[in-house]
Amino acid sequence: MEETKTLIYDGSFNGFLTAVFVGFEEKRKTLNINKRTSYNNNLFTKTKIIFTDMNKAERVWKTIQNKNSTALKNIYFSFLSEKKNIENVLYLYIKSLFNPYQAAQIGFSITEQINIEDVSLTVAKEKIYLEKTIKFKESNDGVFYTNIAPDFDVIPLLSKHFRIRVNKKPWLIYDVNRNYGIYYDTRSIEMIVLDTNQIFKASQSKLTNNSAKIKILNKHFNKNNIITLVINKLQQNNFPFNNSKLNLNRIAN
């Protein structure tokens, strides 16, 4: 019986695709794929650190796309659900696209496939809901901004819609749950991570729920120059939003 191997990746979708590439390369029937931040080290488990490789990720992406473009959307949206062990289920789902018989042998059934499709649909519904309901405020320096607390990691899915809807003004959409956002300067999209812990601490307010966090960040953005905040962060992090590398925006709708 094959020993299940654990692959540790950086939490990004490209990192996950790299792990999938490694799993197929090693002809692994099953895999434990864990984010680096959530993995608890086990001395008796065979582990391997996976470094994101864009070439490998792109090969997996294009192979799935050529096989089944609908499945590609299900995989990406389900990944963004952040459900427990979703990476392991998606690995089997991807295997089922190319070898249904082997996937069935290791326990991946039609029911699991339907579950993936349902999860993808649930994420898509939240994306559509936010596209319809997000209302921007305007900062003193003319940046439209909104702070949200979605159930799923839908920020990457909102980029295309709002670049079309609000294309002549800079805007910032920030996820207070996951502490990152996307900033549009009317030309390109950048991913932004702010020092929210310092912001919340300085407010001296009780963070009883996400609504409290949103109120604090709204006040912070209203008092401060958002463009300066963003430029400072980009200079510190040199941190471009690169999901477009694999045309993720194209399957966001």
Side-chain angles (χ1 to χ4, degrees):
M1 185 175 179
E2 180 185 81
E3 179 186 5
T4 300
K5 189 174 186 179
T6 298
L7 302 183
I8 313 300
Y9 77 109
D10 62 5
S12 70
F13 185 63
N14 293 328
F16 166 70
L17 292 180
T18 304
V20 170
F21 181 95
V22 171
F24 272 74
E25 188 176 48
E26 296 182 356
K27 295 180 170 56
R28 294 277 170 180
K29 293 181 180 179
T30 61
L31 269 181
N32 285 326
I33 305 176
N34 294 119
K35 294 183 180 70
R36 195 172 301 160
T37 53
S38 62
Y39 176 66
N40 294 318
N41 191 24
N42 187 329
L43 294 175
F44 302 101
T45 303
K46 190 175 182 180
T47 63
K48 181 177 182 179
I49 304 295
I50 299 299
F51 297 98
T52 298
D53 185 317
M54 290 302 299
N55 290 327
K56 291 178 180 179
E58 192 160 13
R59 284 179 63 182
V60 174
W61 172 272
K62 288 182 176 179
T63 301
I64 298 171
Q65 187 177 47
N66 291 336
K67 184 72 175 179
N68 189 327
S69 59
T70 300
L72 190 65
K73 181 174 181 178
N74 288 337
I75 292 163
Y76 185 44
F77 279 47
S78 296
F79 176 83
L80 295 176
S81 74
E82 301 177 317
K83 287 189 174 294
K84 187 176 180 180
N85 297 323
I86 191 65
E87 297 95 338
N88 304 336
V89 178
L90 286 175
Y91 180 73
L92 295 179
Y93 178 71
I94 293 168
K95 285 191 76 70
S96 74
L97 298 175
F98 301 97
N99 194 334
Y101 175 73
Q102 186 184 76
Q105 278 188 317
I106 54 181
F108 190 82
S109 65
I110 294 296
T111 302
E112 275 79 22
Q113 180 177 329
I114 293 171
N115 287 341
I116 287 294
E117 293 169 358
D118 288 343
V119 170
S120 173
L121 182 59
T122 302
V123 173
K125 285 180 178 178
E126 182 171 56
K127 166 191 173 289
I128 293 168
Y129 171 78
L130 288 171
E131 288 173 347
K132 290 180 178 179
T133 59
I134 277 180
K135 294 181 180 179
F136 289 100
K137 300 176 183 294
E138 187 170 6
S139 67
N140 292 331
D141 56 343
V143 176
F144 287 178
Y145 69 91
T146 186
N147 294 297
I148 60 175
D151 292 331
F152 309 115
D153 186 15
V154 293
I155 283 274
L157 303 178
L158 301 176
S159 166
K160 180 179 179 180
H161 173 84
F162 286 103
R163 277 188 291 124
I164 295 171
R165 178 177 142 189
V166 189
N167 60 2
K168 295 181 179 179
K169 292 279 289 185
W171 50 258
L172 171 66
I173 302 175
Y174 206 83
D175 184 339
V176 300
N177 270 340
R178 296 162 185 85
N179 191 30
Y180 86 97
I182 49 175
Y183 175 73
Y184 177 64
D185 64 1
T186 72
R187 296 183 303 276
S188 61
I189 290 280
E190 304 287 352
M191 187 166 77
I192 302 297
V193 179
L194 300 175
D195 296 324
T196 53
N197 286 335
Q198 290 186 0
I199 296 170
F200 296 146
K201 186 176 180 180
S203 73
Q204 297 182 337
S205 301
K206 291 184 178 180
L207 301 177
T208 54
N209 52 41
N210 287 324
S211 295
K213 292 180 181 180
I214 288 173
K215 286 181 181 178
I216 292 168
L217 277 184
N218 282 344
K219 289 180 181 178
H220 182 76
F221 289 156
N222 204 32
K223 290 179 181 178
N224 292 275
N225 187 315
I226 291 180
I227 294 176
T228 300
L229 287 173
V230 169
I231 290 174
N232 288 342
K233 273 298 161 187
L234 289 176
Q235 289 175 342
Q236 288 174 24
N237 299 325
N238 190 24
F239 204 17
F241 181 73
N242 61 8
N243 268 353
S244 59
K245 174 73 176 179
L246 294 181
N247 296 321
L248 301 189
N249 285 322
R250 193 169 66 183
I251 63 168
N253 293 307

